Amino acid sequence: MSLPADRDHPGDHPAAEPAPNGKRLPRGVSPLPPGVSPEVFTPPGSPGSLPGAGVPPPGATPPPVPGQPSALPPPGTAQLWTVSSTRRGDITAEPSVVIAPESAEEEPSGRLRGPLLVIGGFVLLFMLAYGVPATYMWGRVLPGTHVAGVRIGGMTETAAIDRIRQRFEGLDRQAVPLVVDGRRVGVLDPQEAGLAFDVERTVAAAQKGFPSPVAVWQSLTGDRELAPLISVNTAKFASWMRGVAKDVDRTAREGAIVYTGTTPKVVPPRDGVILDQQAAALTIKRAFLSRPAAITLPVATVRAKADAAAFNRRLAMARGAVAGPITLVNGNRRVPLSPEVIAANLVFVADNGGVVRPEFDAKTAVTDYETTLVGASQAPRDAGFVIENGVPKLVPARTGRGVNIGELGSAVSKVITKGGGRVIPVSLSITEPALRDQEAASFGIKEKIGRFTTFFPCCAARVTNIQRAADMVDGHLVRPGETFSLNEIIGRPDRSRGFVPAQLIEGNRLAIGMGGGLSQFATTLYNAAFYAGMTDFKRGSHAFYVRRYPLGRDAVLAYPDHDLAWRNDSAHGVLIKTAYTDASVTVEMWSTKRYDRIEPETSPKSAVTQPHTVTDDDPGCLPMDGAPGFTVTVTRAFYQDGRLLKRDEPMTTVYQPRDRVICAPPHSPTSDGSVDSDQSGSGTLPPSPAIRDNAPPGNGGSGRNKDKTKNKNRGNGNGHGNGNSGNGNKRK
């Protein structure tokens, strides 16, 4: 049997033959799979197709296989390949090797190569576009940066700080007006308010390490404006804001119906304003660095409880309230409250619901009548003092029976609101004294600490008002730390309380009005308190100088606008005692002395202005002689143990010139004559040109002063508060 040329026995060929596919196989390796006989490739009917048929005879050459080169051994060397059995199990298979095709090297897909190249390009471009400028910007303020309009981009931190400081130099010293509704209410002083421009922190916030891509992009494509940072002294700013609020805040003025005599008049309400401190603080801080012409502060409106229309609707009721007297009855005791008394103690005010209702001050109304209603033996009595032989003596307090004030006030208001009978039975209640013996004894009332006397012509109508005021103040005790108010004690001067019309100062002219002369008593009381060492005076001076008073130490009284008030700053109580004659009034202060003496130091007159002459044909004209105006300053000096202890702040008074007034027709016979007598009272007075005033002490003449106990006491009249007898020289 002949075999294919590439499948000869391995021992018959010294070299490997080429495989059918053109490749050369290793020596001894057959291209056929194991167990496959070459006979399967012999065409049918050929000599080698039968068992044993393919064995060439000896010496014969096997036929060549088409397409294969002849690789037979030389003749004489051929050997027979005898197959003993055609069964698979009888054939001994020679080992064969399967040659797998060589795998090609992995190469990137053509679909991924392009995107990867694009991404790589973008990454490289980004690193170039960001890294280069970021490296340049590192350590500098980012380009395009502005702070309050100042360009600092690209600068180092030090250079940026220097530029900003040059731009805002002096900012902490620039005052800016504060405005509310177009009205100037103060100024912003940055140093006083505790505000400062924090330049270092502002620049530090503008540059923070290596810049981010976003920061680089913003720097390359546009500008950025940084808000300047300020430093605030919190405690100082809060204190300053409270002061601003005090100047801005205006409480709402509630409306009311009050009486002039017995004629009711509506006092219209007025809304108030209050500073919105939180919003104002934010507004001020924001405006601080912008240097505005003014800063408008935010405020909130505070509404009054009721509008003017609500009060106008109550005018008819107010007129009916004083149409006649109201009679108070206690058994067989009867006291009529005249329309004048009712009017003096009645007002119409709005409650919290906005309803206008009458309010009657029953306590004040019955003060002068309670003893009559109750009886002197049953009325309560506060502890007090009388002066016996120059020594204060305690008068013990007493519990008694008094008018039930709450019930009386409600009863009067009911009569006014609903009408009906005007006779009111009063109920009585046990009334404790307001001042008991132990407290009064602890006040240290033991010696005279101040005294002053003023004089007036006898028998004028104004003398009645002076003496009535002296009676009301006599025996009043001012507790330690308490503030005394003359208007609170005297109240509205009217006929029901014993006052009469008299000459007073109205504007810069003389006139006739209710309570004329009260300013002379106020001046006397003020000077007694001046020499007693009292403090915190609240007073107004006359528009022009009245010669009978000390320079710069006069006082006006006009209810309710002009008051005389002072504070007892000592650790002791102060007892006020008064005495008067037909030509003088004296006020004494009793307590415990703190100083040996107190002396006024009065400056010479300055800024003298000359008067004019005016002719007046008004029927109520009162003539006046002219006098120059001037300015004067008084300082109070305190002495202790023979040496100067301290001085008060100087008090300056500006007096206007007193015009000479010539009345064309004869002037009114009710005039008191000379303008040098005190004509001021409760009339309408202009605002005083100065709150403080003073002058050298003049001496009042000695005289006999009659107090309410009918004791005759020699008065000193010197106004020095030292208790010595008068020297007979009249104080000017």
Side-chain angles (χ1 to χ4, degrees), residues 370-391:
E370 189 168 25
T371 302
T372 302
L373 281 169
V374 178
S377 60
Q378 297 188 60
R381 183 180 64 201
D382 291 342
F385 295 87
V386 294
I387 307 299
E388 293 184 355
N389 300 320
V391 177

Side-chain angles (χ1 to χ4, degrees), residues 314 317 321 348 356-358 411-420:
R314 292 293 191 185
M317 181 183 294
F348 285 76
V356 177
R357 303 180 186 277
V412 173
S413 296
K414 184 177 179 180
V415 167
I416 294 171
T417 303
K418 298 183 178 180

Side-chain angles (χ1 to χ4, degrees), residues 198-212:
D198 196 336
V199 180
E200 290 80 2
R201 194 159 60 97
T202 299
V203 174
Q207 189 237 3
K208 298 180 179 178
F210 196 82
S212 66

Side-chain angles (χ1 to χ4, degrees), residues 318-378:
R319 295 186 187 99
V322 293
I326 294 177
T327 302
L328 307 183
V329 178
N330 177 30
N332 59 356
R333 299 176 183 272
R334 301 171 67 88
V335 171
L337 298 181
S338 67
E340 290 78 12
V341 172
I342 297 171
N345 296 281
L346 177 64
V347 294
F348 285 76
V349 295
D351 61 17
N352 292 330
V355 179
V356 177
R357 303 180 186 277
E359 274 191 6
F360 184 68
D361 185 0
K363 182 176 181 180
T364 303
V366 301
T367 297
D368 297 333
Y369 309 106
E370 189 168 25
T371 302
T372 302
L373 281 169
V374 178
S377 60
Q378 297 188 60

Side-chain angles (χ1 to χ4, degrees), residues 290-316:
S290 61
R291 301 188 180 186
I295 301 175
T296 300
L297 301 180
V299 295
T301 301
V302 181
R303 301 292 182 187
K305 296 177 181 178
D307 57 16
F311 289 95
N312 289 327
R313 290 193 292 268
R314 292 293 191 185
L315 273 175

Side-chain angles (χ1 to χ4, degrees), residues 283-644:
T283 299
I284 290 170
K285 291 176 184 177
R286 286 176 176 174
F288 164 53
L289 297 178
S290 61
R291 301 188 180 186
I295 301 175
T296 300
L297 301 180
V299 295
T301 301
V302 181
R303 301 292 182 187
K305 296 177 181 178
D307 57 16
F311 289 95
N312 289 327
R313 290 193 292 268
R314 292 293 191 185
L315 273 175
M317 181 183 294
R319 295 186 187 99
V322 293
I326 294 177
T327 302
L328 307 183
V329 178
N330 177 30
N332 59 356
R333 299 176 183 272
R334 301 171 67 88
V335 171
L337 298 181
S338 67
E340 290 78 12
V341 172
I342 297 171
N345 296 281
L346 177 64
V347 294
F348 285 76
V349 295
D351 61 17
N352 292 330
V355 179
V356 177
R357 303 180 186 277
E359 274 191 6
F360 184 68
D361 185 0
K363 182 176 181 180
T364 303
V366 301
T367 297
D368 297 333
Y369 309 106
E370 189 168 25
T371 302
T372 302
L373 281 169
V374 178
S377 60
Q378 297 188 60
R381 183 180 64 201
D382 291 342
F385 295 87
V386 294
I387 307 299
E388 293 184 355
N389 300 320
V391 177
K393 180 179 179 181
L394 178 68
V395 177
R398 181 182 66 196
T399 300
R401 301 184 69 196
V403 174
N404 189 317
I405 299 301
E407 290 187 7
L408 176 60
S410 298
V412 173
S413 296
K414 184 177 179 180
V415 167
I416 294 171
T417 303
K418 298 183 178 180
R422 298 176 71 90
V423 177
I424 300 176
V426 298
S427 60
L428 304 182
S429 59
I430 300 299
T431 304
E432 299 292 337
L435 179 63
R436 295 187 175 275
D437 300 350
Q438 185 176 1
E439 184 181 7
S442 69
F443 282 168
I445 309 298
K446 64 180 183 180
E447 56 191 336
K448 189 186 305 179
I449 63 172
R451 185 178 192 273
F452 201 79
T453 299
T454 62
F455 297 85
F456 42 78
C458 174
C459 309
R462 58 193 308 278
V463 176
T464 299
N465 295 328
I466 294 171
Q467 294 176 346
R468 176 67 179 128
D471 288 340
M472 298 175 77
V473 174
D474 183 54
H476 187 81
L477 272 167
V478 184
R479 290 173 167 80
E482 184 181 2
T483 296
F484 170 89
S485 167
L486 187 55
N487 268 341
E488 287 184 4
I489 296 177
I490 295 178
R492 186 185 303 277
D494 52 42
R495 290 186 183 276
S496 66
R497 309 189 71 216
F499 296 97
V500 298
Q503 187 171 281
L504 50 77
I505 297 175
E506 189 174 72
N508 292 334
R509 302 287 295 276
L510 295 180
I512 301 299
M514 187 65 69
L518 288 180
S519 287
Q520 175 155 357
F521 179 76
T523 297
T524 310
L525 178 62
Y526 167 68
N527 279 271
F530 179 95
Y531 284 108
M534 301 297 102
T535 61
D536 298 336
F537 289 101
K538 175 185 176 182
R539 71 177 180 89
S541 62
H542 291 83
F544 49 76
Y545 176 59
V546 179
R547 287 194 294 266
R548 68 175 61 255
Y549 303 141
L551 280 172
R553 299 209 312 273
D554 56 332
V556 297
L557 191 73
Y559 184 89
D561 300 320
H562 295 267
D563 192 12
L564 169 65
W566 45 267
R567 186 171 65 90
N568 175 15
D569 64 331
S570 73
H572 309 286
V574 174
L575 171 67
I576 303 175
K577 293 296 291 181
T578 65
Y580 53 79
T581 68
D582 291 338
S584 68
V585 61
T586 299
V587 177
E588 295 179 343
M589 303 280 187
W590 293 76
S591 184
T592 298
K593 276 192 173 184
R594 293 180 288 166
Y595 312 104
D596 289 345
R597 73 181 192 276
I598 296 173
E599 294 290 346
E601 298 174 347
T602 307
S603 72
K605 298 177 183 179
S606 63
V608 177
T609 54
Q610 297 302 320
H612 298 89
T613 299
V614 178
T615 300
D616 189 354
D617 59 358
D618 188 279
C621 172
L622 297 178
M624 294 195 309
D625 56 342
F630 56 89
T631 299
V632 67
T633 297
V634 174
T635 303
R636 189 166 52 162
F638 298 79
Y639 292 87
Q640 183 67 34
D641 298 329
R643 63 182 180 87
L644 177 65

